[in-house]
Amino acid sequence: MTAGLLLLTGGLVGAVLSPISGRLLDNYGPRKPIMTGAVLEIIGGILYCIFASSLSSGKIILFYAITMMGIGLVMGDTMTASIGQLDEKENTDGNGLFNMAQQFAGAVGTAIISAIMQFVEQMSGQSSTTGKYIEAAQVGFIFILIIVLVGVYLLYQATKSVKAKE
């Protein structure tokens, strides 16, 4: 229950931001809201990396809300802009592909982060279990930040040629 309550604010922020993000997409095209969201995701990731050893409930709520603001701006607009590049008869396949890729990436990402954290815990020079876990979490956050940075670069390249609908 505690974990759910800690993530509730971020989830609400993401839900509220989705329609706003769609309006920004309509007004400015995909590049501005997607790249703004990507920067927010990077900021959230950096904050998690910096404060991994001293996370409190308040920091988790704040950092997750910042990250979810970014995700709220990126996810829906990326999907909408990408599917908009397809022929109308391919929209269903594109939507299915997005949903499948999102589920697959979530499952694979969770497994990779769990494996990294377990490896770091086993190799850690920390004497306490808590110290080992904090070190493992920090390495996990750094790995996620690297993945986010790669994703932001790819989004930057992909949105260069996508124009706003007139």
Side-chain angles (χ1 to χ4, degrees), residues 145-158:
L145 180 60
I146 291 167
I147 298 298
V148 168
L149 290 170
V150 170
V152 168
Y153 173 76
L154 295 173
L155 284 170
Y156 178 79
Q157 293 300 322

Side-chain angles (χ1 to χ4, degrees), residues 63-77:
F63 300 167
Y64 189 65
I66 291 168
T67 304
M68 287 305 293
M69 285 172 61
I71 289 171
L73 287 167
V74 171
M75 293 301 288
D77 288 353

